[in-house]
């Protein structure tokens, strides 16, 4: 070990502070080392690097200036240390102490575009990569090697900022690691979106798919069509049971909604670019288009005036006329104008045009659509949407971009290389793989974060489909590569948050986290590291970090699950939770248990006459999550529930 004469060796400081520092228990360093996603190769060492006031951040290329400034801000805010950024042309100076960010002169093929090497020794921290993206991901790993308080948005008074010693080689399994945020069903401010981008970047998620338009709202300013936001961004306010929202009342104003101006979009894009996140815009067509139609009534086949929907539009597909008329030339004019502005605004390669859940019902009854079918020799209803798809795909290509669509377009004669996003396991994937069509997996049984993530009675109002609860463990256990295919068959995956029932940013965060951590791990980390207990240990260590950023997260994975096992008189109650090591305590007498009540060990028999079990979870001696009251039967079957009278207050 080399000792720097001017300072006490960091290991000694670390030992002193482990022993004497009253606020730094001996476990302080170790638990912070919980990297998520788990790197490809990690070797931890017993020493550490201590950040100092003037630890320099050196770069060997001007291309790294913004990554270095980002790292400086990330570390300076909580530590209060200035950490000056220094550009260095000679490789020699990069060997000095401090943090060095280095683009490799000779590319390392193993690292690809996003991989990096990170070495933390007592004297220096070194991040090396082929591309700035790799250096950026390395800085995010470096951040996770520091104590949790490094997440603070305010200065923290700590005596030391140790970076755990490590040697890491890391690169992603898949290039496409995305989240979808539906900003159409409910609008989220640009600040909310930027906070989400921050959290994504921390976990090496690199695509934010914004579902910008739907029946319930149009969320992007289109300068050539101001009506799209003037009308399409606003609906009458409703709250309660989404499916039962009432239509606009006479004279009622449409006051709920919002949209991003083009300046907002540019700000979001710049924010994302600085974090190596690409924003994928989705403009839904020809279905899910009621907001566009409300603003332009001549674009639907019936041409009737409509309001932007507050709640559900279709109980069954085709019930409502929320589909663009594909026989009307004006449809293509408006679509072309929109695509032109969207293509100009977003620097990414792809533009998503939706295309899911479209019924041909109104096309079949529409003179314009039928005239089109005769003119273009479109035989049968199955040829109508493919005609539209190919036309709009050409519009996208005219702007040098590539279209993406939902899996419905897989047979539409799309150009080779046009990716599809599959959401129903199996159906389109096999065709896409056979055709060599790039695939993005957005599996609705594992990656749809609008679905409840725990026992439904404990969860906030979400989308429980029968058999489609998506627990953290389900997202983690799902391997996105379809059976029989290999990794090269898919670009990657996306976790989708449809927001019909997500009105607030707190709930948006609750639905994403911690499931998006499982997604991030599975899309980055090699399959050979698949290890649920290890993942849960590291996932738990991310939660205080989310707390420090005021990001809400669901406790569902810790909470009790009640199952009945066996038959007849042998039937027993089994309690479990997803997270290994959680303790469950229960009662049968209707009282609320705590850690002094019996702890669950083995399956239980329901005591004679008892009709309910109440269960709570404890993690490392602390109560966690909500109490589950599971009622097995109504003890008074002859007495129907009476409505509870309204409360009377006496003050
Ligand atoms: C979808 O769930 N219809 C994309
Ligand atoms: Zn029509």
């Amino acid at each position: 070990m080399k000792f720097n004469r001017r300072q006490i060796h960091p290991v000694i400081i670390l030992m002193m502070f482990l022993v004497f520092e009253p606020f730094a228990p001996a476990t302080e360093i170790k638990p912070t080392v919980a990297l998520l996603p788990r790197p490809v190769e990690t070797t931890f060492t017993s020493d550490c690097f201590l950040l100092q006031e003037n630890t320099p951040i050196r770069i060997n290329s001007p291309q790294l200036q913004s990554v270095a400034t980002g790292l400086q801000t990330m570390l300076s805010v909580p530590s209060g240390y200035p950490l000056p950024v220094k550009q260095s042309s000679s490789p020699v100076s990069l060997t000095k102490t401090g943090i060095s960010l280095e683009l490799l002169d000779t590319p390392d093929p193993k690292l690809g575009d996003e991989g990096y090497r990170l070495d933390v020794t007592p004297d220096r921290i070194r991040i090396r990569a082929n591309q700035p993206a790799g250096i950026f991901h390395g800085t995010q790993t470096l951040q996770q090697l520091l104590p949790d308080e490094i997440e603070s948005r305010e200065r923290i008074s700590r005596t030391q900022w140790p970076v755990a010693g490590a040697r890491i080689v890391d690169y992603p399994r898949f290039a496409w690691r995305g989240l979808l945020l539906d900003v159409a069903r409910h609008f989220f401010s640009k600040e909310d979106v930027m906070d989400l981008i921050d959290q994504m970047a921390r976990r090496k998620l690199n695509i934010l798919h914004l579902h910008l338009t739907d029946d319930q709202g149009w969320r992007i300013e289109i300068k050539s069509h101001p009506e799209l936001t003037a009308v399409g961004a606003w609906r009458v306010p409703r709250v309660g049971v989404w499916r039962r929202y009432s239509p606009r009342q006479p004279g009622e104003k449409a006051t709920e909604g919002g949209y991003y101006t083009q300046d907002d979009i540019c700000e979001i894009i710049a924010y994302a670019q600085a974090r190596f996140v690409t924003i994928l815009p989705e403009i839904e067509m020809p279905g899910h288009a009621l907001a566009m139609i409300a603003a332009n009534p001549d674009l639907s086949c019936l041409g009737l005036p409509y309001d932007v929907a507050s709640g559900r539009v279709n109980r069954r597909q085709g019930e409502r006329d929320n589909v663009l008329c594909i026989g009307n030339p004006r449809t293509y004019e408006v679509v072309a104008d929109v695509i032109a502005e969207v293509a100009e605004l977003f620097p990414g390669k792809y533009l998503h045009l939706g295309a899911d859940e479209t019924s041909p019902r109104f096309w079949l009854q529409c003179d314009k659509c039928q005239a089109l079918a005769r003119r273009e020799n479109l035989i049968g209803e199955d040829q109508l949407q493919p005609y539209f798809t190919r036309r709009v795909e050409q519009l996208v290509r005219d702007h040098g971009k590539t279209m993406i669509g939902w899996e419905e377009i897989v047979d539409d004669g799309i150009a080779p290389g046009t990716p599809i996003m599959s959401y129903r396991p199996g159906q389109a994937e096999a065709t896409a793989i056979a055709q060599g069509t790039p695939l993005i997996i957005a599996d609705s049984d594992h990656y749809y974060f609008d679905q409840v993530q725990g026992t439904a009675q404990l969860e906030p109002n979400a989308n429980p489909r029968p058999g489609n609860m998506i627990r953290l463990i389900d997202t983690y256990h799902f391997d996105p590569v379809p059976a029989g295919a290999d990794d090269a068959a898919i670009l990657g995956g996306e976790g989708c948050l449809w927001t019909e029932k997500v009105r607030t940013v707190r709930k948006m965060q609750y639905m994403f986290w911690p499931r998006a951590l499982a997604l991030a791990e599975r899309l980055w980390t090699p399959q050979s590291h698949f290890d649920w207990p290890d993942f849960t240990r590291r996932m738990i260590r991310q939660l205080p970090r989310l707390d420090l950023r005021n990001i809400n997260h669901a406790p569902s994975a810790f909470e009790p699950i009640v199952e009945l096992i066996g038959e007849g008189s042998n039937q027993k109650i089994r309690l479990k939770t997803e997270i290994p090591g959680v303790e469950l305590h229960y009662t049968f007498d209707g009282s609320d248990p705590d850690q002094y009540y019996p702890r669950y060990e083995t399956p239980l028999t329901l005591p004679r006459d008892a009709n309910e079990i109440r269960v709570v979870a404890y993690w490392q001696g602390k109560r966690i999550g909500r109490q589950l009251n599971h009622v097995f039967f109504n003890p008074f079957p002859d007495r129907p529930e009476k409505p509870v009278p309204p409360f009377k207050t006496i003050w």
Side-chain angles (χ1 to χ4, degrees):
M1 278 191 205
K2 264 197 301 155
F3 279 67
N4 181 328
R5 247 176 278 140
R6 273 186 300 132
Q7 63 188 66
I8 309 172
H9 191 272
V11 172
I12 296 177
I13 293 179
L14 178 64
M15 284 161 56
M16 283 161 44
F17 118 95
L18 293 181
V19 176
F20 301 117
E21 162 72 66
F23 302 109
T27 52
E28 183 163 40
I29 299 293
K30 275 283 175 240
T32 61
V33 182
L35 304 177
L36 197 155
R38 182 174 158 187
V40 177
E41 294 169 32
T42 317
T43 312
F44 289 114
T45 58
S46 55
D47 47 25
C48 70
F49 177 96
L50 291 178
L51 275 190
Q52 309 284 333
E53 286 266 337
N54 287 317
T55 298
I57 299 175
R58 297 179 204 279
I59 54 175
N60 72 342
S61 160
Q63 286 185 67
L64 296 177
Q65 183 66 42
S66 84
V67 177
T69 316
L71 175 63
Q72 180 192 40
T73 309
M74 181 165 75
L75 305 181
S76 291
V77 170
S79 67
Y81 298 166
L83 309 170
V85 174
K86 298 188 175 170
Q87 156 103 39
S88 162
S89 50
S90 82
V92 179
S93 64
L94 286 173
T95 62
K96 289 181 188 159
T97 59
I99 301 174
S100 65
L101 311 181
E102 303 166 46
L103 286 181
L104 291 165
D105 289 334
T106 314
D108 179 345
K110 187 167 161 182
L111 300 182
D113 287 346
E114 293 191 279
Y116 63 94
R117 289 172 185 274
L118 168 60
D119 295 280
V120 180
T121 57
D123 292 335
R124 66 189 293 209
I125 295 175
R126 211 172 169 195
I127 303 177
R128 286 168 291 171
N130 297 330
Q131 296 291 339
I135 300 284
F136 177 79
H137 293 316
T139 64
Q140 301 304 301
T141 303
L142 164 60
Q143 198 259 16
Q144 292 191 11
L145 292 172
L146 277 146
D148 291 347
E149 293 95 318
I150 202 70
E151 281 288 0
S152 172
R153 285 184 199 259
E154 283 161 21
R155 186 168 175 178
I156 297 276
S157 90
R158 272 184 74 98
T159 39
Q160 303 289 354
W161 290 95
V163 182
R167 275 195 310 280
I168 292 170
V169 181
D170 200 14
Y171 45 87
R173 182 177 173 201
F174 299 111
W176 192 287
R177 304 179 303 279
L179 293 183
L180 177 152
L181 177 63
D182 169 7
V183 294
R185 269 53 175 270
H186 281 100
F187 180 66
F188 297 91
S189 71
K190 79 178 171 207
E191 291 78 14
D192 296 341
V193 172
M194 289 174 181
D195 281 350
L196 179 62
I197 291 169
D198 272 336
Q199 296 307 316
M200 292 175 65
R202 285 281 189 274
R203 281 89 198 181
K204 304 186 176 69
L205 291 164
N206 65 349
I207 305 280
L208 177 58
H209 173 168
L210 291 178
H211 182 75
L212 287 164
T213 71
D214 212 299
D215 297 323
Q216 292 81 5
W218 182 281
R219 306 292 179 213
I220 176 170
E221 178 188 25
I222 302 295
K223 292 197 195 274
S224 56
H225 288 276
E227 77 285 356
L228 286 170
T229 43
V231 177
W234 305 100
R235 62 187 190 222
V236 293
R238 295 289 181 269
V239 62
V241 181
W242 186 75
R243 283 165 181 248
R244 315 288 297 199
Y245 286 171
S246 50
R248 185 150 72 97
Q249 303 301 296
E252 191 179 4
K253 292 239 173 351
T255 53
E256 182 169 321
Y259 64 92
Y260 306 111
T261 63
Q262 293 198 357
D263 285 347
D264 291 337
I265 293 281
C266 291
E267 259 186 76
I268 292 171
I269 290 170
Y271 195 85
Q273 270 180 332
R275 289 153 184 81
F276 293 84
V277 171
T278 299
I279 306 288
L280 172 69
E282 180 182 353
I283 309 290
E284 260 277 19
M285 60 184 78
H288 288 274
L290 195 60
M292 188 176 183
I293 289 167
N296 293 277
D298 58 329
L299 296 189
S300 85
C301 288
L302 298 183
L304 298 172
Y306 294 109
D307 292 319
V308 177
S310 291
R312 184 163 73 173
V313 169
N314 282 325
R315 258 173 309 167
R316 288 176 307 284
Q317 263 183 52
E319 191 177 344
R320 295 268 301 275
D321 181 26
N322 65 337
V323 178
L324 299 178
C325 174
I326 61 169
N328 182 350
R330 221 181 91 73
T331 297
Y332 299 95
E333 287 165 24
V334 179
V335 166
D337 292 342
V338 170
I339 288 175
E341 289 192 37
V342 174
E344 172 85 28
L345 266 176
F346 290 86
K349 174 176 175 192
Y350 296 109
L351 212 163
H352 197 308
L353 291 188
D356 61 317
E357 299 182 327
T358 302
S359 160
R361 177 176 157 206
F362 293 94
W363 298 336
L364 297 173
Q365 300 163 9
C366 168
D367 292 344
K368 293 192 199 97
C369 289
Q370 288 308 304
L372 170 85
R374 283 192 298 278
R375 214 167 48 241
E376 297 290 333
N377 200 21
L378 306 172
I379 301 156
E381 60 184 76
D382 289 352
Q383 294 201 2
L384 295 173
Q385 186 166 351
Y387 169 85
F388 179 82
T389 305
R390 290 192 299 271
R391 254 187 99 164
V392 294
E393 179 175 44
Q394 187 56 49
L395 292 174
V396 173
R397 274 196 281 154
D398 289 346
H399 293 279
K401 305 270 174 180
T402 301
M403 183 180 89
I404 296 186
W406 292 105
E407 63 182 43
E408 278 88 337
I409 64 164
V410 72
D411 291 322
D412 285 5
I414 48 178
T418 296
I420 65 152
M421 220 167 253
S422 92
Y423 63 99
R424 291 171 296 194
Q427 292 194 24
E429 288 165 6
T431 315
I433 290 169
Q435 294 177 165
T437 296
L439 248 180
I440 298 154
I441 304 293
D443 184 293
S444 55
D445 287 340
H446 301 90
Y447 288 175
Y448 264 29
F449 296 154
D450 57 313
Q451 303 291 309
V452 288
Q453 57 194 303
T455 304
Q457 76 190 77
L458 296 183
E459 289 299 318
N461 182 20
N463 281 343
R465 267 194 257 150
N468 206 12
M469 173 194 294
I470 300 181
R471 293 185 182 276
L472 179 67
I473 197 170
D474 298 321
T475 302
Y476 182 78
H477 271 249
F478 176 67
D479 185 30
V481 179
D486 57 28
D487 284 11
I490 69 167
L491 288 177
E494 268 187 23
C496 302
L497 183 56
W498 305 105
T499 59
E500 290 94 333
K501 299 176 185 171
V502 181
R503 294 178 59 81
T504 62
V505 63
R506 295 296 287 168
K507 182 141 173 214
M508 180 253 267
Q509 295 163 345
Y510 177 99
M511 301 305 279
F512 271 133
W513 309 103
R515 287 183 291 189
L517 297 176
L519 180 90
E521 171 108 352
R522 293 313 307 276
L523 295 177
W524 178 280
T525 302
Q527 172 72 7
S528 54
H529 289 349
F530 177 85
D531 181 340
W532 169 248
D534 177 64
F535 167 76
T536 59
R537 185 186 67 75
R538 288 176 293 109
M539 181 279 294
I540 288 166
R541 293 297 311 142
Q542 296 291 315
L543 303 181
R545 291 177 172 249
L546 291 170
D547 291 334
L548 278 159
R549 305 295 285 203
N550 296 331
I551 302 291
N552 199 9
H553 48 89
S556 320
F558 293 88
E559 289 174 341
I561 300 168
V562 173
E563 281 180 352
L564 287 179
I565 53 171
E567 297 291 329
S569 58
N570 287 328
Q571 200 165 56
K572 300 243 177 181
I573 302 161
R574 181 160 66 193
L575 304 182
K576 59 184 194 184
T577 72
E578 294 170 60
I579 307 281
V582 170
E583 291 181 6
L584 300 173
H585 296 266
Y586 62 93
T587 66
F588 282 117
D589 66 356
S591 50
D592 295 337
D594 60 20
Q595 74 270 44
Y596 304 107
Y597 279 86
R599 179 176 159 192
Y600 176 78
E601 306 280 356
T602 55
L604 305 164
T605 304
L606 186 66
R608 180 175 290 278
D609 297 340
N611 78 319
E612 180 190 31
I613 189 167
R614 296 189 174 197
V615 196
V616 287
Y618 279 77
W619 168 251
Q620 297 192 332
K622 287 210 191 78
R623 174 77 194 274
I624 187 153
R626 296 153 294 199
Q627 174 175 310
L628 178 61
N629 298 350
H630 184 98
V631 177
F632 294 97
F633 60 89
N634 173 8
F636 305 109
D638 49 331
R639 273 201 246 156
E641 292 259 304
K642 291 207 188 91
V644 181
F647 286 111
K648 287 205 181 90
T649 56
I650 54 165
W651 66 88

